[in-house]
Amino acid sequence: EAQVTQNPRYLITVTGKKLTVTCSQNMNHEYMSWYRQDPGLGLRQIYYSMNVEVTDKGDVPEGYKVSRKEKRNFPLILESPSPNQTSLYFCASRVQGMNTEAFFGQGTRLTVV
Amino acid sequence: DAKTTQPTSMDCAEGRAANLPCNHSTISGNEYVYWYRQIHSQGPQYIIHGLKNNETNEMASLIITEDRKSSTLILPHATLRDTAVYYCIVRANNNAGNMLTFGGGTRLMVKP
């Protein structure tokens, strides 16, 4: 089954403790992206990647890092999480080319205390 | 990408057609209209997209006006499971990097 898998689905952590949210897709998609969703602010893009070893900042990249060493994986790294990074996070992927639909993971609900 | 305007919320009776409007008056020639929906706090789900012709798939129909300044997503027989936030997004055909820019969407409530 074609899917985008995020782990963990839920995470509660403390301020400053480094964490990684993993994202994996099995569709051989070139494009992958991370979004965060907050009440009243909607979905905002954090980082995206157009292919292996190619990443770029989205609208709200501060406090986040990503890597794209393999095509299928696009982890989101929070080196020093802070409470304002408490949010619902979504990973997405799509194939390269025109008019292509994006597939989203089921989300990771992160709470930083 | 062009900005879109959608009503904040709408109700629809179960079994009836749900017609969700979207205004995109600043759309340019190479920009497509995409529709996604988000059920509760799940990941957004692709529904349909189009450029200027009307489109239909197993989920919905998309009607785009001739001047392309607005469109309507039609769910022909809404069910309770169609209750969700529906996002209308305009994206350039050559927008390789920035995937999708989500607005506020329309919260559709399907009622029995």
Side-chain angles (χ1 to χ4, degrees), chain A residues 19-80:
Chain A
L19 67 92
T20 299
V21 184
T22 64
C23 175
S24 180
Q25 49 94 4
N26 62 1
M27 296 168 280
N28 203 37
H29 287 170
E30 291 83 7
Y31 292 97
M32 298 187 73
S33 182
W34 276 102
Y35 292 82
R36 61 177 288 174
Q37 186 170 31
D38 303 288
L41 296 176
L43 282 143
R44 295 177 292 167
Q45 192 180 69
I46 303 170
Y47 266 95
Y48 64 91
S49 169
M50 294 170 63
N51 214 322
V52 175
E53 302 292 0
V54 180
T55 63
D56 210 343
K57 297 178 180 178
D59 297 324
V60 288
E62 294 76 21
Y64 304 94
K65 287 174 58 177
V66 292
S67 70
R68 188 89 184 276
K69 293 184 170 56
E70 307 165 277
K71 201 172 190 179
R72 64 184 294 128
N73 297 323
F74 191 45
L76 180 69
I77 303 156
L78 285 72
E79 294 271 4
S80 183

Side-chain angles (χ1 to χ4, degrees), chain B:
Chain B
D1 290 347
K3 183 178 173 62
T4 61
T5 305
Q6 299 176 251
T8 303
S9 64
M10 292 181 64
D11 290 345
C12 177
E14 187 179 19
R16 305 296 294 269
N19 297 289
L20 292 90
C22 179
N23 285 321
H24 30 79
S25 58
T26 59
I27 194 170
S28 59
N30 68 342
E31 290 183 318
Y32 282 70
V33 180
Y34 282 77
W35 283 84
Y36 283 77
R37 73 179 182 183
Q38 187 175 23
I39 297 173
H40 194 41
S41 293
Q42 298 177 21
Q45 176 190 22
Y46 167 83
I47 301 173
I48 199 167
H49 75 279
L51 181 62
K52 51 185 174 182
N53 296 323
N54 297 338
E55 301 287 345
T56 296
N57 63 20
E58 66 277 3
M59 289 184 68
S61 295
L62 174 60
I63 308 299
I64 303 174
T65 58
E66 193 168 342
D67 63 6
R68 302 206 329 118
K69 293 183 185 300
S70 66
S71 60
T72 301
L73 178 75
I74 301 172
L75 307 178
H77 305 288
T79 70
L80 298 179
R81 289 182 294 178
D82 291 322
T83 292
V85 178
Y86 287 77
Y87 296 98
C88 170
I89 299 164
V90 174
R91 183 160 76 90
N93 192 20
N94 59 359
N95 189 351
N98 196 355
M99 292 178 70
L100 297 162
T101 302
F102 288 82
T106 296
R107 186 171 297 276
L108 175 67
M109 180 74 72
V110 180
K111 298 185 174 181

